[in-house]
Amino acid sequence: MRLHRNLCFAVIDGLHLIFNEGEYADKVVQQLLKRDKRWGSRDRGFVAETVYQIVRYKRLYAEIADVKEPFHRDNLWRIFAVWATLRGITLPDWKYFTDTPTRKIKGRFDELSKTRKLRESIPDWMENLGLEELGEKLWTAEIAMQNQQADVILRVNTLKTTKKDLQLKLQSEDIETEFLPNHPSALKLVERANVFKTEAFKNGWFEVQDASSQLVADFLDVKPGMKVVDVCAGAGGKTLHLASLMENKGQIIAMDIYESKLKKLKIRARRNGVHNIELKVIESTKPIKKLHGKADRLLIDAPCSGLGVLRRNPDAKWKLQPEFIDNIKKTQEEVLEQYSKMVKDGGKMVYATCSILPSENEKQVEKFLTSESGKNFKLIKDKKILAHKSGFDGFYMALLEKNN
């Protein structure tokens, strides 16, 4: 493989923004891909995948390169040289690569890879937390899987088409997909492709949504005609899935504290042909109180550490702080306590996170059930998904029912 100067410069610029300026990797990559109209899909693929891979293994590569943060540009080139050498790429005779100790790099890699926190490239606090909550065996398998690139999974919009028809439509646009067992609405891309440019996407035939995330709406056991509240709706991936499961009948109230996210949901809903969603920004406790005892179903897709989706957000490893996790657990308790009041007698709710930590999942549900707000609820079932067992994102979901 030959390295091209303009592509390598793009990677270095991207790493500078992510590591030194604190910008989000996905946003940076989106910007980089618009940098040169002459780039083909292979060029864009190189930039995106190289940036993500170096972000993923920042700690390991920096240790091998013997550089410390904040990384100046020479440091970033040294890290890049480590990445290239480990991929078996011959380094061109550019000034950035003079004195690159190629043989030493491989030896250092073998040596450092014996230590899990370096091999999987995670901060010490995350290593300690994972071990404490999951134990040696599970944590080793899970954190290794969280460093693998995630598959692209689509969820068919059954309001507009069927899984088979979507598959055929994508095939006509040179995109091959396969069915996934136990995921009724999912199609997995055989090879990565920009699905957002397809006619099928523009016509609202599908959304991109991980297979684990697709199980959450199903778990809520909704029926057409119900009044359903999605209280942490965000940009609405699960909201739209609920709408299709309800066949566009009944009412979904999608709520979030961020108006900008709900605006995105509005655009997506239009494209999906969904018209039973009402959007509400949570600016005070008023909209919550208005719905006390009114919801047949409630979805709490709670804010969480996101440790189940590091494959998609590798820079979260470096942005997350232990204090954030302590604070988010308090938020989860408050969300359960306040929002559960919207469920009517005999109604059901799902508490879900994209975390793999029991302290954010089972333990939060146990604590809620012994609280004043939760004493009228009972746990019907819960499901924990670990990435290394499923091949998809790490998730947790619990279905609770309110007594009549």
Side-chain angles (χ1 to χ4, degrees), residues 40-300:
S41 60
R42 188 176 288 180
D43 298 329
R44 289 196 299 275
F46 171 84
V47 171
E49 282 165 32
T50 307
V51 168
Y52 274 122
Q53 190 71 353
I54 293 174
V55 169
R56 207 168 263 134
Y57 289 104
K58 177 181 88 164
R59 182 174 185 179
L60 178 62
Y61 293 168
E63 291 261 358
I64 295 171
D66 199 19
V67 295
K68 301 258 187 298
E69 287 187 87
F71 302 128
H72 52 71
R73 290 186 83 81
D74 286 349
N75 294 158
L76 293 172
W77 279 109
R78 288 185 71 163
I79 289 172
F80 182 89
V82 168
W83 169 84
T85 303
L86 293 172
R87 295 285 290 252
I89 296 167
T90 307
L91 295 174
D93 56 354
W94 304 345
K95 62 177 181 181
Y96 315 104
F97 299 136
T98 44
D99 308 327
T100 299
T102 310
R103 284 168 69 179
K104 202 168 149 197
I105 285 172
K106 289 172 179 162
R108 291 272 292 155
F109 174 78
D110 293 340
E111 189 54 40
L112 294 171
S113 293
K114 291 172 186 166
T115 308
R116 182 179 46 229
K117 64 186 178 186
L118 297 177
R119 178 178 69 244
E120 304 304 350
S121 209
I122 48 175
D124 286 4
W125 70 265
M126 194 179 283
E127 164 78 340
N128 298 336
L129 181 65
L131 274 177
E132 185 189 322
E133 294 224 12
L134 294 177
E136 187 88 30
K137 196 176 164 197
L138 274 186
W139 177 242
T140 301
E142 189 63 12
I143 196 61
M145 188 60 179
Q146 287 295 346
N147 270 330
Q148 302 305 310
Q149 190 181 46
D151 291 314
V152 180
I153 311 291
L154 313 179
R155 178 182 56 74
V156 62
N157 176 12
T158 51
L159 295 174
K160 289 203 166 188
T161 188
T162 64
K163 200 156 66 163
K164 189 70 207 161
D165 284 348
L166 173 59
Q167 188 176 48
L168 292 169
K169 175 75 175 154
L170 289 170
Q171 212 167 29
S172 75
E173 299 189 51
D174 294 326
I175 293 174
E176 293 294 334
T177 58
E178 53 193 37
F179 284 21
L180 287 178
N182 310 319
H183 294 84
S185 304
L187 282 178
K188 177 175 133 181
L189 261 60
V190 174
E191 277 178 26
R192 298 184 86 75
N194 185 356
V195 290
F196 300 115
K197 284 188 169 169
T198 62
E199 208 178 303
F201 179 74
K202 288 167 189 161
N203 293 339
W205 282 26
F206 68 86
E207 289 290 330
V208 174
Q209 186 180 5
D210 185 76
S212 299
S213 173
Q214 291 188 31
L215 298 173
V216 176
D218 273 327
F219 216 68
L220 191 55
D221 184 30
V222 293
K223 304 273 187 301
M226 281 182 169
K227 189 186 191 89
V228 177
V229 181
D230 181 355
V231 86
C232 306
K238 298 178 186 73
T239 319
L240 296 169
H241 192 187
L242 288 167
S244 64
L245 291 170
M246 292 164 70
E247 297 163 17
N248 242 342
K249 295 167 190 159
Q251 183 190 21
I252 300 174
I253 301 167
M255 308 176 92
D256 204 275
I257 54 172
Y258 300 108
E259 188 176 8
S260 58
K261 290 185 177 180
L262 293 176
K263 281 181 176 165
K264 284 182 187 161
L265 170 52
K266 192 176 184 179
I267 294 162
R268 291 172 82 185
R270 199 177 300 138
R271 191 182 59 244
N272 278 250
V274 169
H275 46 69
N276 65 338
I277 296 175
E278 186 187 326
L279 307 175
K280 276 208 171 102
V281 185
I282 305 171
E283 291 175 308
S284 66
T285 54
K286 213 155 131 191
I288 306 292
K289 284 178 177 160
K290 267 189 172 169
L291 287 165
H292 278 187
K294 302 269 173 66
D296 294 302
R297 297 286 184 270
L298 172 71
L299 173 57
I300 302 177

Side-chain angles (χ1 to χ4, degrees), residues 307-376:
L307 286 180
V309 292
L310 290 177
R311 303 188 306 158
R312 296 180 186 285
N313 309 304
D315 52 329
K317 292 199 281 190
W318 317 117
K319 288 187 168 62
L320 269 178
Q321 295 299 329
E323 312 80 71
F324 174 83
I325 296 195
D326 293 336
N327 292 334
I328 211 73
K329 287 176 195 170
K330 293 187 190 86
T331 305
Q332 289 162 352
E333 272 180 63
E334 286 161 14
V335 161
L336 266 167
E337 191 228 330
Q338 288 172 24
Y339 297 167
S340 60
K341 296 184 174 113
M342 292 190 270
V343 182
K344 60 156 73 157
D345 292 348
K348 293 175 185 172
M349 75 170 178
V350 161
Y351 169 80
T353 75
C354 54
S355 173
I356 49 174
L357 299 178
S359 60
E360 293 185 79
N361 297 333
E362 304 95 314
K363 291 192 174 148
Q364 286 290 26
V365 172
E366 282 164 24
K367 199 181 284 183
F368 170 70
L369 291 171
T370 58
S371 70
E372 192 54 37
S373 308
K375 65 178 190 202
N376 293 325

